[in-house]
Amino acid sequence: GMKVFLGFATKEYSWAIAGLTPGIQYYVRLAAKSQSALEGPFAFVGYPSQPVSFPPMAVPDSVERAELTTLSATELRVDWAPPGNIVPEGNNGSPISGYLVQVATDVQEVQKVSMNSDSGPIQGAFRLVLGGFETSCIEVGASADTVELRLEELASVDGVHVTFFNESESSQSYEMRFDGPLLSSGNQEMLRFD
């Protein structure tokens, strides 16, 4: 059976709700469903008759006044101030518990190309141009793998990772992270549509 301890009740089931967007309020309700596909009445989390909104924690703002100082031939120091717009805990915020400092010997540039239409679904094909080289035709809505393959066919690219964002029928974008060991790491010319 179930053990009950003073101070809290044991919960036998749980479900993690992932992929939430910070700042958006979400409402949760719960019902039991039988093997015969019959659903019981919904229970609302919080109050018996109306849902309670639970906004996920907001992402902290950027640190302020970041500054890099050379201490010696083999040592650097980075100084910064905490984010200026810190949201108090309990108001869609959470206290800052630490800072992440990353150091790299090269920079992988990230570029994003977006396609939007005010008159319905996006249709057709496009080409991407980089460093004087042009991809073969790419169908609108093509997979990230297809766009990645087309870019890697260019002489100016030796490594790229592509992510596809299909926001709606009238808004799509591709994010390209140039991560090649030689040619395409670091600063790149801007991609353009043709």
Side-chain angles (χ1 to χ4, degrees), residues 106-110 178-180 182-189:
D106 72 350
V107 177
Q108 296 178 354
E109 182 163 326
V110 177
F178 295 94
D179 55 5
L182 302 171
L183 300 173
S184 62
S185 59
N187 196 19
Q188 292 291 315
E189 287 184 28

Side-chain angles (χ1 to χ4, degrees), residues 35-48:
Q35 287 182 340
S36 303
L38 299 173
E39 292 179 4
F42 279 97
F44 294 94
V45 177
Y47 298 99

Side-chain angles (χ1 to χ4, degrees), residues 43-121:
F44 294 94
V45 177
Y47 298 99
S49 61
Q50 66 187 105
V52 177
S53 79
F54 289 95
M57 295 296 177
V59 176
D61 283 345
S62 296
V63 297
E64 294 184 353
R65 298 187 301 277
E67 192 174 292
L68 194 61
T69 306
T70 301
L71 299 178
S72 70
T74 60
E75 193 174 1
L76 297 171
R77 183 182 75 217
V78 62
D79 300 293
W80 66 89
N85 188 17
I86 296 178
V87 180
E89 187 173 12
N91 186 20
N92 199 28
S94 179
I96 301 290
S97 62
Y99 294 91
L100 178 64
V101 177
Q102 295 180 334
V103 179
T105 56
D106 72 350
V107 177
Q108 296 178 354
E109 182 163 326
V110 177
Q111 293 187 26
K112 189 171 186 176
V113 293
S114 299
M115 297 170 280
N116 298 298
S117 170
D118 293 331
S119 60

Side-chain angles (χ1 to χ4, degrees), residues 9-176:
T10 302
K11 295 176 177 59
E12 292 188 70
Y13 303 98
S14 66
W15 183 266
I17 304 170
L20 303 179
T21 303
I24 304 292
Q25 292 188 335
Y26 294 90
Y27 300 90
V28 178
R29 65 183 189 165
L30 181 65
K33 184 175 180 180
S34 71
Q35 287 182 340
S36 303
L38 299 173
E39 292 179 4
F42 279 97
F44 294 94
V45 177
Y47 298 99
S49 61
Q50 66 187 105
V52 177
S53 79
F54 289 95
M57 295 296 177
V59 176
D61 283 345
S62 296
V63 297
E64 294 184 353
R65 298 187 301 277
E67 192 174 292
L68 194 61
T69 306
T70 301
L71 299 178
S72 70
T74 60
E75 193 174 1
L76 297 171
R77 183 182 75 217
V78 62
D79 300 293
W80 66 89
N85 188 17
I86 296 178
V87 180
E89 187 173 12
N91 186 20
N92 199 28
S94 179
I96 301 290
S97 62
Y99 294 91
L100 178 64
V101 177
Q102 295 180 334
V103 179
T105 56
D106 72 350
V107 177
Q108 296 178 354
E109 182 163 326
V110 177
Q111 293 187 26
K112 189 171 186 176
V113 293
S114 299
M115 297 170 280
N116 298 298
S117 170
D118 293 331
S119 60
I122 304 170
Q123 298 176 350
F126 62 95
R127 295 176 192 266
L128 293 171
V129 180
L130 179 67
F133 298 96
E134 186 176 278
T135 65
S136 55
C137 257
I138 303 169
E139 289 293 321
V140 168
S143 70
D145 290 338
T146 299
V147 175
E148 194 170 300
L149 180 65
R150 296 295 178 260
L151 283 168
E152 287 182 341
E153 290 172 350
L154 302 179
S156 58
V157 176
D158 66 343
V160 64
H161 177 76
V162 177
T163 305
F164 176 57
F165 300 95
N166 188 15
E167 291 96 7
S168 69
E169 288 183 337
S170 60
S171 179
Q172 299 175 353
S173 60
Y174 294 93
E175 183 178 86
M176 283 65 110

Side-chain angles (χ1 to χ4, degrees), residues 1-12:
M2 182 170 69
K3 295 181 184 179
V4 177
F5 299 94
L6 287 177
F8 69 95
T10 302
K11 295 176 177 59
E12 292 188 70

